Amino acid sequence: MTRTRASMSRRRPPVPDLVRYLAVRARLVERALEAHLPPGRERLRQAIRYSLFAGGKRLRPILALAAGEVAGAPPAVVLPFACALEMVHTYSLVHDDLPAMDDDDLRRGRPTSHRVYGEGLAILVGDALLTHAFELAARVPGVPPALALRALAELATAVGEAGMVGGQALDLAATGAGRRVSLGRVRAIHRRKTGALLRAAVRVGALVGGARPALLRCLTAYGEHLGLAFQVADDIADAAGGAGGDGRTDRVLGKATYPAAIGLAAARRAAVRERDAAVAAVRALGPRAEPLRGIARLVVPE
Ligand code: GRG
């Protein structure tokens, strides 16, 4: 994408406690990622770091840490999975920007990986990050092996054909179709392409924390509603004029989006509905789930 996204919008400043919560956890993630992928002399390592340390919000790892805390896991236990989620996310952005996909020049306000390092190396950046992610997720000291394996399988399912990669394939097939895509189709794309990783972030944190089935159900519902709210908010930001200088909006590209399927006003209502459902799913969990509720309100502000 050619613009800075408006998700986690700046329209109304989040409450100070939440700002601090997010900053503290983002710092933990930065440090852990630095420890796993320190600077190196090889061009591949430089290219990996160029994309991994490009100023992302670290939303997925923070969600995993927050869900883990609700389940009773200290951040240190969830951190390897949290980093794995960010690596997978970064891989997906690097590959999504490639000429064969969205063919974007800018990401987070600076040139995309393939524009700086060439297409071949950008493909390898994605491959390396995906592989690093599973290496990290396979080494989780302090987590019972059965739980760690279950979380690992969850992550793989969310990232692969049943989730993100499959959603991207549906998205590619729908792009530029030149016809109105049905809401059901758009929702299916969003659930897999973007929603699956956000849902997995919450579930992996909860699983590693040893969440019982009832708690896992609440957190899963939260993750599913948040995932959809997040992508619809992104669609709305784009339709409302978030495009970069080259005018490559989702509409121009013929992307399958909520505003394209049902119009901007109905898309706004859908985003709010999904946000409220996310908040409601974890309402009964009390103060320890406040960061999760705050994140939902940040993704889709009033
Ligand atoms: C190429 C296998 C493959 C998958 C790509 C998820 C995805 C599938 C592509 C991402 C493209 C995109 C812009 C999707 C919309 C969701 C979105 C706004 C992602 C950006 O996530 P943020 O806002 O990004 O968390 P930061 O920069 O903060 O990390």
Side-chain angles (χ1 to χ4, degrees):
M1 292 286 147
T2 50
R3 58 198 164 274
T4 304
R5 291 286 178 164
S7 310
M8 295 180 85
S9 160
R10 289 171 214 93
R11 259 191 284 162
R12 183 188 291 178
V15 287
D17 279 358
L18 183 61
V19 172
R20 192 166 172 279
Y21 180 93
L22 296 174
V24 168
R25 271 124 198 107
R27 234 180 353 259
L28 283 178
V29 173
E30 298 298 329
R31 268 196 233 122
L33 288 171
E34 270 290 347
H36 193 71
L37 287 168
R41 290 176 50 178
E42 276 194 9
R43 197 159 165 78
L44 176 60
R45 176 58 62 93
Q46 286 159 15
I48 289 170
R49 287 179 54 89
Y50 176 81
S51 292
L52 192 58
F53 299 101
K57 295 181 291 292
R58 312 308 194 194
L59 172 62
R60 292 146 195 84
I62 292 173
L63 283 171
L65 295 174
E69 285 165 40
V70 171
V77 172
V78 185
L79 259 180
F81 269 105
C83 291
L85 286 155
E86 188 64 18
M87 289 176 182
V88 167
H89 168 59
T90 304
Y91 130 69
S92 81
L93 298 181
V94 171
H95 279 196
D96 187 63
D97 291 335
L98 286 168
M101 304 255 182
D102 270 8
D103 194 11
D104 274 319
D105 293 335
L106 291 175
R107 162 76 55 192
R108 295 165 177 153
R110 53 186 202 155
T112 44
S113 178
H114 64 275
R115 292 276 177 248
V116 178
Y117 293 98
E119 219 176 311
L121 208 61
I123 291 170
L124 294 174
V125 165
D127 296 342
L129 281 170
L130 180 61
T131 319
H132 274 302
F134 281 95
E135 184 189 342
L136 253 184
R139 293 193 190 135
V140 277
V143 180
L147 278 183
L149 264 181
R150 193 171 159 200
L152 192 69
E154 285 265 346
L155 183 62
T157 304
V159 171
E161 191 178 349
M164 189 178 79
V165 171
Q168 179 76 349
L170 291 180
D171 191 36
L172 279 180
T175 298
R179 58 185 156 70
R180 214 175 157 93
V181 184
S182 75
L183 178 60
R185 186 74 172 167
V186 178
R187 195 186 290 132
I189 294 172
H190 286 8
R191 285 226 162 99
R192 283 167 74 178
K193 189 181 104 169
T194 328
L197 195 61
L198 289 162
R199 175 185 188 269
V202 175
R203 278 181 63 87
V204 158
L207 283 170
V208 169
R212 298 209 174 259
L215 177 56
L216 191 58
R217 273 197 299 278
C218 292
L219 291 170
T220 302
Y222 169 86
E224 287 173 355
H225 289 297
L226 183 83
L228 195 49
F230 179 85
Q231 184 58 63
V232 178
D234 187 67
D235 289 353
I236 292 168
D238 186 289
D246 64 358
R248 284 158 48 87
T249 59
D250 289 343
R251 193 179 58 77
V252 170
L253 292 169
K255 287 269 181 189
T257 66
Y258 261 60
I262 58 174
L264 199 51
R268 282 209 178 97
R269 288 194 294 275
V272 168
R273 237 184 356 259
E274 292 301 324
R275 176 204 66 197
D276 291 348
V279 171
V282 292
R283 185 166 291 133
L285 302 181
R288 64 200 167 134
E290 189 48 39
L292 291 175
R293 294 189 288 269
I295 289 169
R297 294 187 188 108
L298 211 49
V299 164
V300 181
E302 277 308 329

Short mmCIF file of all heavy atoms in Angstrom, two decimals, residues 231-276:
data_model
loop_
_atom_site.label_atom_id
_atom_site.label_comp_id
_atom_site.label_asym_id
_atom_site.label_seq_id
_atom_site.Cartn_x
_atom_site.Cartn_y
_atom_site.Cartn_z
N GLN A 231 -9.73 -4.71 9.33
CA GLN A 231 -9.63 -4.63 7.87
C GLN A 231 -10.69 -3.70 7.29
O GLN A 231 -10.44 -2.97 6.34
CB GLN A 231 -9.73 -6.02 7.26
CG GLN A 231 -9.54 -6.01 5.75
CD GLN A 231 -8.21 -5.42 5.30
OE1 GLN A 231 -7.15 -5.95 5.63
NE2 GLN A 231 -8.24 -4.31 4.56
N VAL A 232 -11.88 -3.70 7.89
CA VAL A 232 -12.92 -2.79 7.38
C VAL A 232 -12.48 -1.34 7.63
O VAL A 232 -12.65 -0.48 6.76
CB VAL A 232 -14.30 -3.08 8.04
CG1 VAL A 232 -15.35 -2.09 7.53
CG2 VAL A 232 -14.75 -4.51 7.73
N ALA A 233 -11.88 -1.09 8.80
CA ALA A 233 -11.37 0.26 9.09
C ALA A 233 -10.32 0.66 8.06
O ALA A 233 -10.27 1.82 7.61
CB ALA A 233 -10.80 0.33 10.50
N ASP A 234 -9.50 -0.30 7.67
CA ASP A 234 -8.47 -0.02 6.66
C ASP A 234 -9.12 0.28 5.31
O ASP A 234 -8.71 1.21 4.61
CB ASP A 234 -7.53 -1.23 6.56
CG ASP A 234 -6.35 -0.93 5.66
OD1 ASP A 234 -5.52 -0.07 6.02
OD2 ASP A 234 -6.25 -1.53 4.56
N ASP A 235 -10.14 -0.48 4.96
CA ASP A 235 -10.88 -0.21 3.71
C ASP A 235 -11.46 1.20 3.72
O ASP A 235 -11.42 1.92 2.72
CB ASP A 235 -12.08 -1.17 3.57
CG ASP A 235 -11.68 -2.62 3.28
OD1 ASP A 235 -10.49 -2.88 3.05
OD2 ASP A 235 -12.58 -3.48 3.30
N ILE A 236 -12.02 1.57 4.88
CA ILE A 236 -12.67 2.88 4.99
C ILE A 236 -11.63 4.00 4.88
O ILE A 236 -11.84 4.99 4.17
CB ILE A 236 -13.44 2.99 6.33
CG1 ILE A 236 -14.63 2.03 6.31
CG2 ILE A 236 -13.90 4.42 6.60
CD1 ILE A 236 -15.28 1.83 7.67
N ALA A 237 -10.48 3.80 5.55
CA ALA A 237 -9.42 4.82 5.48
C ALA A 237 -9.00 5.03 4.04
O ALA A 237 -8.77 6.16 3.59
CB ALA A 237 -8.23 4.38 6.34
N ASP A 238 -8.91 3.94 3.31
CA ASP A 238 -8.52 4.04 1.90
C ASP A 238 -9.60 4.77 1.09
O ASP A 238 -9.30 5.73 0.36
CB ASP A 238 -8.33 2.63 1.34
CG ASP A 238 -7.78 2.66 -0.08
OD1 ASP A 238 -8.52 3.05 -1.00
OD2 ASP A 238 -6.60 2.32 -0.24
N ALA A 239 -10.84 4.35 1.28
CA ALA A 239 -11.93 4.95 0.49
C ALA A 239 -12.14 6.42 0.84
O ALA A 239 -12.55 7.22 0.01
CB ALA A 239 -13.22 4.18 0.73
N ALA A 240 -11.82 6.75 2.10
CA ALA A 240 -12.02 8.14 2.54
C ALA A 240 -10.85 9.03 2.15
O ALA A 240 -10.76 10.17 2.59
CB ALA A 240 -12.25 8.18 4.05
N GLY A 241 -9.92 8.49 1.38
CA GLY A 241 -8.87 9.35 0.84
C GLY A 241 -7.51 9.12 1.42
O GLY A 241 -6.68 10.03 1.47
N GLY A 242 -7.22 7.90 1.84
CA GLY A 242 -5.91 7.62 2.43
C GLY A 242 -4.82 7.32 1.42
O GLY A 242 -3.72 6.98 1.80
N ALA A 243 -5.11 7.41 0.14
CA ALA A 243 -4.11 7.00 -0.84
C ALA A 243 -2.92 7.93 -0.88
O ALA A 243 -3.01 9.09 -0.51
CB ALA A 243 -4.73 6.94 -2.23
N GLY A 244 -1.81 7.41 -1.35
CA GLY A 244 -0.60 8.22 -1.48
C GLY A 244 -0.65 9.06 -2.73
O GLY A 244 -1.69 9.16 -3.39
N GLY A 245 0.48 9.65 -3.07
CA GLY A 245 0.54 10.60 -4.17
C GLY A 245 0.16 10.04 -5.52
O GLY A 245 -0.23 10.78 -6.42
N ASP A 246 0.29 8.71 -5.69
CA ASP A 246 0.04 8.18 -7.03
C ASP A 246 -1.44 7.83 -7.26
O ASP A 246 -1.81 7.36 -8.32
CB ASP A 246 0.90 6.94 -7.30
CG ASP A 246 0.56 5.79 -6.36
OD1 ASP A 246 -0.31 5.98 -5.48
OD2 ASP A 246 1.15 4.72 -6.51
N GLY A 247 -2.27 8.11 -6.25
CA GLY A 247 -3.71 7.92 -6.41
C GLY A 247 -4.16 6.46 -6.54
O GLY A 247 -5.27 6.19 -7.00
N ARG A 248 -3.29 5.51 -6.14
CA ARG A 248 -3.64 4.09 -6.31
C ARG A 248 -4.53 3.63 -5.15
O ARG A 248 -4.12 2.87 -4.30
CB ARG A 248 -2.37 3.25 -6.39
CG ARG A 248 -1.68 3.35 -7.74
CD ARG A 248 -0.22 2.97 -7.63
NE ARG A 248 -0.07 1.73 -6.89
CZ ARG A 248 -0.11 0.52 -7.45
NH1 ARG A 248 -0.31 0.39 -8.73
NH2 ARG A 248 0.07 -0.55 -6.72
N THR A 249 -5.76 4.10 -5.16
CA THR A 249 -6.68 3.68 -4.10
C THR A 249 -7.18 2.28 -4.42
O THR A 249 -7.07 1.78 -5.54
CB THR A 249 -7.90 4.63 -4.05
OG1 THR A 249 -8.52 4.58 -5.34
CG2 THR A 249 -7.49 6.04 -3.73
N ASP A 250 -7.80 1.66 -3.37
CA ASP A 250 -8.42 0.35 -3.58
C ASP A 250 -9.44 0.42 -4.71
O ASP A 250 -9.60 -0.51 -5.49
CB ASP A 250 -9.10 -0.11 -2.29
CG ASP A 250 -8.09 -0.51 -1.21
OD1 ASP A 250 -6.91 -0.73 -1.56
OD2 ASP A 250 -8.48 -0.59 -0.03
N ARG A 251 -10.16 1.57 -4.78
CA ARG A 251 -11.21 1.70 -5.80
C ARG A 251 -10.60 1.68 -7.20
O ARG A 251 -11.06 0.99 -8.09
CB ARG A 251 -12.00 3.00 -5.57
CG ARG A 251 -13.29 3.09 -6.36
CD ARG A 251 -14.04 4.39 -6.05
NE ARG A 251 -13.24 5.58 -6.34
CZ ARG A 251 -13.02 6.06 -7.56
NH1 ARG A 251 -13.53 5.46 -8.62
NH2 ARG A 251 -12.29 7.14 -7.75
N VAL A 252 -9.49 2.45 -7.34
CA VAL A 252 -8.84 2.51 -8.64
C VAL A 252 -8.31 1.12 -9.02
O VAL A 252 -8.40 0.69 -10.18
CB VAL A 252 -7.67 3.55 -8.61
CG1 VAL A 252 -6.82 3.44 -9.87
CG2 VAL A 252 -8.24 4.95 -8.45
N LEU A 253 -7.78 0.40 -8.04
CA LEU A 253 -7.22 -0.92 -8.32
C LEU A 253 -8.30 -1.99 -8.46
O LEU A 253 -8.01 -3.11 -8.84
CB LEU A 253 -6.25 -1.32 -7.19
CG LEU A 253 -4.96 -0.49 -7.09
CD1 LEU A 253 -4.23 -0.79 -5.79
CD2 LEU A 253 -4.05 -0.76 -8.28
N GLY A 254 -9.52 -1.62 -8.14
CA GLY A 254 -10.61 -2.59 -8.24
C GLY A 254 -10.54 -3.66 -7.16
O GLY A 254 -10.83 -4.83 -7.39
N LYS A 255 -10.15 -3.26 -5.93
CA LYS A 255 -10.02 -4.20 -4.82
C LYS A 255 -11.38 -4.56 -4.22
O LYS A 255 -12.31 -3.75 -4.23
CB LYS A 255 -9.17 -3.58 -3.71
CG LYS A 255 -7.70 -3.49 -4.05
CD LYS A 255 -7.00 -4.73 -3.57
CE LYS A 255 -5.51 -4.71 -3.84
NZ LYS A 255 -4.90 -6.00 -3.55
N ALA A 256 -11.44 -5.76 -3.66
CA ALA A 256 -12.66 -6.19 -2.98
C ALA A 256 -12.66 -5.61 -1.57
O ALA A 256 -11.89 -6.05 -0.72
CB ALA A 256 -12.70 -7.72 -2.92
N THR A 257 -13.48 -4.59 -1.35
CA THR A 257 -13.51 -3.92 -0.05
C THR A 257 -14.96 -3.77 0.43
O THR A 257 -15.89 -3.87 -0.37
CB THR A 257 -12.90 -2.51 -0.13
OG1 THR A 257 -13.73 -1.69 -0.97
CG2 THR A 257 -11.48 -2.52 -0.66
N TYR A 258 -15.11 -3.47 1.71
CA TYR A 258 -16.45 -3.21 2.25
C TYR A 258 -17.12 -2.02 1.56
O TYR A 258 -18.27 -2.12 1.15
CB TYR A 258 -16.38 -3.01 3.77
CG TYR A 258 -16.76 -4.26 4.54
CD1 TYR A 258 -16.03 -5.44 4.38
CD2 TYR A 258 -17.85 -4.28 5.39
CE1 TYR A 258 -16.39 -6.59 5.07
CE2 TYR A 258 -18.22 -5.43 6.09
CZ TYR A 258 -17.47 -6.57 5.92
OH TYR A 258 -17.84 -7.71 6.60
N PRO A 259 -16.44 -0.86 1.45
CA PRO A 259 -17.10 0.26 0.78
C PRO A 259 -17.51 -0.08 -0.66
O PRO A 259 -18.57 0.36 -1.12
CB PRO A 259 -16.04 1.37 0.80
CG PRO A 259 -15.19 1.04 1.98
CD PRO A 259 -15.14 -0.45 2.04
N ALA A 260 -16.69 -0.88 -1.36
CA ALA A 260 -17.06 -1.25 -2.73
C ALA A 260 -18.31 -2.12 -2.73
O ALA A 260 -19.16 -2.02 -3.63
CB ALA A 260 -15.90 -1.98 -3.42
N ALA A 261 -18.44 -2.97 -1.72
CA ALA A 261 -19.55 -3.91 -1.70
C ALA A 261 -20.85 -3.28 -1.18
O ALA A 261 -21.93 -3.57 -1.70
CB ALA A 261 -19.18 -5.13 -0.86
N ILE A 262 -20.72 -2.42 -0.14
CA ILE A 262 -21.97 -1.95 0.51
C ILE A 262 -22.01 -0.42 0.69
O ILE A 262 -22.95 0.09 1.29
CB ILE A 262 -22.17 -2.63 1.89
CG1 ILE A 262 -20.97 -2.38 2.82
CG2 ILE A 262 -22.43 -4.12 1.73
CD1 ILE A 262 -21.17 -2.92 4.24
N GLY A 263 -20.98 0.28 0.21
CA GLY A 263 -20.96 1.73 0.37
C GLY A 263 -20.26 2.14 1.67
O GLY A 263 -20.15 1.34 2.60
N LEU A 264 -19.82 3.41 1.69
CA LEU A 264 -18.99 3.90 2.80
C LEU A 264 -19.75 3.95 4.13
O LEU A 264 -19.25 3.52 5.17
CB LEU A 264 -18.46 5.29 2.43
CG LEU A 264 -17.26 5.82 3.19
CD1 LEU A 264 -16.12 4.81 3.23
CD2 LEU A 264 -16.78 7.12 2.57
N ALA A 265 -20.99 4.44 4.08
CA ALA A 265 -21.74 4.60 5.33
C ALA A 265 -22.03 3.25 5.97
O ALA A 265 -21.85 3.07 7.19
CB ALA A 265 -23.04 5.36 5.06
N ALA A 266 -22.44 2.27 5.16
CA ALA A 266 -22.73 0.94 5.70
C ALA A 266 -21.44 0.27 6.18
O ALA A 266 -21.44 -0.48 7.17
CB ALA A 266 -23.42 0.09 4.64
N ALA A 267 -20.32 0.56 5.50
CA ALA A 267 -19.04 0.00 5.93
C ALA A 267 -18.66 0.54 7.30
O ALA A 267 -18.18 -0.19 8.17
CB ALA A 267 -17.95 0.33 4.90
N ARG A 268 -18.92 1.84 7.51
CA ARG A 268 -18.63 2.45 8.82
C ARG A 268 -19.44 1.77 9.91
O ARG A 268 -18.93 1.46 10.98
CB ARG A 268 -18.94 3.95 8.81
CG ARG A 268 -17.88 4.75 8.12
CD ARG A 268 -17.78 6.19 8.68
NE ARG A 268 -16.70 6.89 7.99
CZ ARG A 268 -16.88 7.70 6.94
NH1 ARG A 268 -18.08 7.94 6.49
NH2 ARG A 268 -15.86 8.26 6.35
N ARG A 269 -20.72 1.54 9.61
CA ARG A 269 -21.58 0.88 10.61
C ARG A 269 -21.07 -0.54 10.89
O ARG A 269 -21.08 -0.99 12.03
CB ARG A 269 -23.04 0.85 10.11
CG ARG A 269 -23.71 2.22 10.15
CD ARG A 269 -25.22 2.11 9.99
NE ARG A 269 -25.62 1.60 8.67
CZ ARG A 269 -25.76 2.36 7.58
NH1 ARG A 269 -25.57 3.66 7.65
NH2 ARG A 269 -26.12 1.82 6.43
N ALA A 270 -20.62 -1.21 9.86
CA ALA A 270 -20.12 -2.58 10.05
C ALA A 270 -18.86 -2.59 10.92
O ALA A 270 -18.71 -3.45 11.81
CB ALA A 270 -19.82 -3.22 8.69
N ALA A 271 -17.98 -1.62 10.69
CA ALA A 271 -16.75 -1.55 11.49
C ALA A 271 -17.08 -1.33 12.97
O ALA A 271 -16.51 -1.97 13.86
CB ALA A 271 -15.85 -0.42 10.97
N VAL A 272 -18.02 -0.42 13.22
CA VAL A 272 -18.42 -0.13 14.61
C VAL A 272 -19.06 -1.37 15.24
O VAL A 272 -18.79 -1.70 16.39
CB VAL A 272 -19.39 1.09 14.64
CG1 VAL A 272 -20.06 1.23 15.99
CG2 VAL A 272 -18.63 2.37 14.27
N ARG A 273 -19.90 -2.04 14.45
CA ARG A 273 -20.55 -3.27 14.96
C ARG A 273 -19.51 -4.31 15.36
O ARG A 273 -19.58 -4.92 16.43
CB ARG A 273 -21.45 -3.85 13.87
CG ARG A 273 -22.87 -3.99 14.29
CD ARG A 273 -23.79 -4.64 13.29
NE ARG A 273 -23.31 -4.99 11.99
CZ ARG A 273 -23.52 -4.28 10.87
NH1 ARG A 273 -24.20 -3.16 10.92
NH2 ARG A 273 -23.07 -4.70 9.70
N GLU A 274 -18.51 -4.50 14.51
CA GLU A 274 -17.47 -5.50 14.80
C GLU A 274 -16.64 -5.08 16.01
O GLU A 274 -16.29 -5.90 16.85
CB GLU A 274 -16.57 -5.71 13.58
CG GLU A 274 -17.25 -6.37 12.39
CD GLU A 274 -17.81 -7.75 12.71
OE1 GLU A 274 -17.20 -8.50 13.49
OE2 GLU A 274 -18.88 -8.08 12.17
N ARG A 275 -16.33 -3.80 16.09
CA ARG A 275 -15.58 -3.30 17.25
C ARG A 275 -16.37 -3.55 18.53
O ARG A 275 -15.82 -4.05 19.53
CB ARG A 275 -15.31 -1.81 17.10
CG ARG A 275 -14.64 -1.21 18.33
CD ARG A 275 -14.89 0.28 18.44
NE ARG A 275 -16.29 0.59 18.69
CZ ARG A 275 -16.84 1.80 18.51
NH1 ARG A 275 -16.10 2.78 18.07
NH2 ARG A 275 -18.12 2.01 18.77
N ASP A 276 -17.64 -3.21 18.51
CA ASP A 276 -18.46 -3.38 19.71
C ASP A 276 -18.58 -4.86 20.09
O ASP A 276 -18.59 -5.21 21.27
CB ASP A 276 -19.85 -2.76 19.51
CG ASP A 276 -19.77 -1.23 19.44
OD1 ASP A 276 -18.71 -0.68 19.79
OD2 ASP A 276 -20.76 -0.60 19.03
#
